[in-house]
Amino acid sequence: MSDQQQSSPEALLRRLEWTVLRRLDGLLQGDYRTLWRGAGLDLADLREYQHGDDVRHIDWNVTARLQQPHVRQFTEDRELTAWFLLDLTGSVDFGSNDRTKLAVSEGFVAVLARLLTRHGNRVGALLYGQHGPQRPIALLPAGVGRRHVLGLIASMRQRPAPQAGRGTVLADLLRAGETIIKRRSLVFVVSDFISAPGWEDALGRLARRHEVLAVRLYDPLELKLPDVGLVTIEDAESGEQVLVDTQEPGFRERFEKLAAGHEDALRQSLARAGVDALELATDDDLMAALLRFVALRRQRLRAPAGHRMPASLRHAATSVAP
């Protein structure tokens, strides 16, 4: 277990406030409003569709009645609600060094939640894999304040022991988000996306109603195996074990080819769902990851209506322009 996960929620949040949020304040010079602009919206008016408008804003009822495409116009709401859809299933416990994917998720969520709530915004969460098979998804209603963020961190740690044979069905979490999140919000889907197939359609539907960012967690060992001889690999979710010889170049080559194919398929799925993606590795620096998030937000807010951003900003610039 990492030092981050061993520390109490209070100790973790205090450390992140001093080491990460203070640095972020200095780089952004307090200009946080532009990061959230455009996510909290209220319907203001209707007008005829024009070339370049976001097709997601077409009002189909009015369009059918008037026989002319019309789009909904929105005004910004100063108060934003953000939701974290958190995958806490067995595979996020993996980490090849001293940090697991869960630890990376926890740090990112803690900083973003505190960043949002201290500027008066509300955050809520759906936690998948928290209470076992009888109640796999738990709800933390949207709230404000530092105490609420501490409760979110504590909730992420209330997990049962992994149950062999129960795989992840990420579509269940996304469908729960569709049902529970009524008002247009900023939604972070934080997962390693190791799941049964079928989640892409649910993610696409969620993205049509909300502004969605897929935060993809991974470990470098999932992409490339080192030459360390005979090792036992265990599936964190099914419990299945297999002995492999990493000294065999052919095996490593096949593994890397399969991993690369999975990466391409995942990125294509995220792009088809129409969501932006931020990739976080277990060897990532949290500050650098947050700066990639800032770069992604600024590119998104500068983009014209209907423009689709790249599916991944893994190699985006890690500096913030004033």
Side-chain angles (χ1 to χ4, degrees), residues 3-30:
D3 291 341
Q4 174 174 306
Q5 290 170 290
Q6 289 176 335
S7 61
S8 68
E10 172 64 39
L12 170 64
L13 186 58
R14 188 186 308 116
R15 178 173 62 79
L16 292 173
E17 286 171 335
W18 278 92
T19 61
V20 177
L21 282 173
R22 288 184 68 192
R23 289 177 60 196
L24 206 56
D25 280 336
L27 289 168
L28 296 179
Q29 299 177 344

Side-chain angles (χ1 to χ4, degrees), residues 55-302:
V55 296
R56 294 176 297 180
H57 295 165
I58 292 176
D59 189 312
W60 295 107
N61 290 330
V62 174
T63 296
R65 188 168 65 249
L66 300 179
Q67 296 298 302
Q68 181 71 29
H70 278 68
V71 294
R72 298 184 295 270
Q73 289 184 293
F74 298 91
T75 56
E76 290 183 30
D77 183 356
R78 291 187 178 183
E79 291 186 0
L80 165 72
T81 300
W83 285 87
F84 293 93
L85 274 54
L86 303 175
D87 177 1
L88 303 176
T89 54
S91 60
V92 300
D93 287 319
F94 178 70
S96 56
N97 293 308
D98 60 347
R99 292 181 77 209
T100 64
K101 288 182 282 186
L102 177 60
V104 174
S105 174
E106 189 178 86
F108 181 81
V109 169
V111 169
L112 260 293
R114 185 64 188 122
L115 191 60
L116 283 154
T117 56
R118 72 176 186 171
H119 290 277
N121 302 299
R122 290 154 48 88
V123 299
L126 291 174
L127 305 103
Y128 176 52
Q130 190 191 38
H131 291 303
Q134 300 304 317
R135 192 157 60 93
I137 299 174
L139 168 66
L140 179 69
V144 297
R146 191 174 187 276
R147 186 182 296 275
H148 186 70
V149 177
L150 290 171
L152 172 55
I153 298 171
S155 295
M156 292 182 69
R157 298 180 177 186
Q158 294 171 3
R159 303 165 65 228
Q163 298 186 25
R166 291 199 56 84
T168 299
V169 184
L170 192 60
D172 290 348
L173 173 62
L174 299 171
R175 284 193 288 262
E178 286 184 75
T179 301
I180 291 171
I181 307 172
K182 302 296 186 182
R183 187 171 177 273
R184 181 172 171 83
S185 302
L186 179 60
V187 178
F188 299 90
V189 180
V190 187
S191 172
D192 57 10
F193 291 89
I194 298 175
S195 166
W199 53 266
E200 297 89 342
D201 288 344
L203 182 62
R205 291 193 302 271
L206 196 67
R208 286 193 288 272
R209 294 180 55 189
H210 307 283
E211 187 172 352
V212 177
L213 177 72
V215 182
R216 186 276 181 104
L217 311 168
Y218 75 97
D219 186 274
L221 202 60
E222 294 171 328
L223 307 180
K224 186 175 182 179
L225 285 177
D227 181 356
V228 292
L230 288 172
V231 295
T232 300
I233 297 177
E234 178 177 338
D235 187 313
E237 303 204 356
S238 69
E240 182 181 356
Q241 294 184 341
V242 60
L243 183 68
V244 300
D245 185 3
T246 61
Q247 287 183 316
E248 183 188 344
F251 174 79
R252 294 200 307 275
E253 183 179 343
R254 291 192 299 273
F255 178 90
E256 291 169 23
K257 186 176 180 179
L258 287 171
H262 176 266
E263 289 291 295
D264 289 342
L266 175 57
R267 288 169 179 165
Q268 290 173 19
S269 294
L270 294 173
R272 283 195 300 270
V275 303
D276 298 331
L278 181 70
E279 298 185 357
L280 298 184
T282 56
D283 60 355
D284 251 335
D285 176 76
L286 179 57
M287 189 67 192
L290 288 166
L291 294 180
R292 291 201 303 275
F293 166 72
V294 170
L296 176 57
R297 287 295 300 167
R298 287 181 167 169
Q299 288 188 49
R300 162 56 64 194
L301 295 172
R302 286 196 298 264

